[in-house]
Amino acid sequence: MPIVIKTEDEIAIMREAGRHVAEVLQILARSVRPGVVEKELDEIVRREFARRGVVPTFLGYHGYPATVCVSVNDEIVHGIPGDRPFQEGDVVSIDLGCTYKGFVADSAITIGVGRITPEAERLIRVTEEALWRGIRAARAGNRVGAIGHAIQSFVEAQGFSVVREYVGHGVGRQMHEDPQVPNYGPPDWGPVLRVGMVLAIEPMVNMGDWRTKRDPDRWTVRTVDGSLSAHFEHTIAVTEGEPLVLTLP
Ligand code: MF3
Ligand code: CO
């Protein structure tokens, strides 16, 4: 599918979608405490999205059974919220998307439960900083590869690794549109970024090996070596100047 350029009106709708995602992500982040069960996050999303009149994009996507992905410790992405209670020291990635007036916004955060190790704290901060470096590289005239190059060079200099098998993506009327947005690779790779492109940039960073494996549930993606992983994601629009971050409160 060719890359879809969005109008200013469409980007304004996506900004509203993004505000709902960001606000509900904040509610989820405040709800994560030791003893709270993963599934309770799905219940909160159902209630908040219904109240706001937005649709949970993930629910039913290729059969995905929940409104939100909850990926704990060595889980990288696409964890299905289950019956496990959060425990002090957990590293919890929460990925959320909504559809509003036909347009999707997609965002993810990673938080620690209670006290976490300094190295886990550093993993989270490096992943968030990598996302912002990727966002700053998303300027008209650059190639898509500039984003991944900014992310990978920073993450590897910090001694962590970047997941290769899962990538960011264009976003619009569909959650996954062209182009793919890898978190690695050379800056001169891929299509040229143009004003009106909307991208979900989403670095997944592992403390150890970058390789992944999938659980028998066919969704949950984990690190092969059991090392911790973090994930941050924003939906952004390419403009004449600084990228516009759509998934902020
Ligand atoms: N942010 C994730 C992605 O872009 C959300 C998809 S999860 C799914 O792949 F469950 F909906 F597949
Ligand atoms: Co995404």
Side-chain angles (χ1 to χ4, degrees), residues 160-223:
F160 298 137
S161 73
V162 166
V163 169
R164 315 274 208 275
E165 287 118 328
Y166 300 85
V167 297
H169 48 91
V171 52
R173 288 192 180 275
Q174 307 297 322
M175 174 161 61
H176 293 143
E177 297 186 355
D178 281 342
Q180 296 206 104
V181 183
N183 298 300
Y184 57 91
D188 59 355
W189 176 88
V192 175
L193 297 172
R194 310 239 178 250
V195 174
M197 287 185 186
V198 178
L199 306 174
I201 302 177
E202 49 177 321
M204 289 146 269
V205 175
N206 298 349
M207 213 177 257
D209 197 299
W210 56 267
R211 289 175 189 81
T212 72
K213 61 183 180 192
R214 215 148 36 114
D215 276 7
D217 69 14
R218 310 270 300 142
W219 282 106
T220 311
V221 178
R222 299 178 185 272
T223 59

Side-chain angles (χ1 to χ4, degrees), residues 113-152:
V113 182
R115 277 178 68 91
I116 63 173
T117 67
E119 197 59 356
E121 191 60 55
R122 193 170 72 88
L123 175 74
I124 292 172
R125 297 285 68 91
V126 164
T127 309
E128 185 170 26
E129 171 66 16
L131 169 60
W132 284 104
R133 286 177 182 240
I135 290 171
R136 285 201 289 276
R139 296 187 74 111
N142 283 352
R143 290 185 182 271
V144 169
I147 298 169
H149 178 74
I151 291 170
Q152 182 181 25

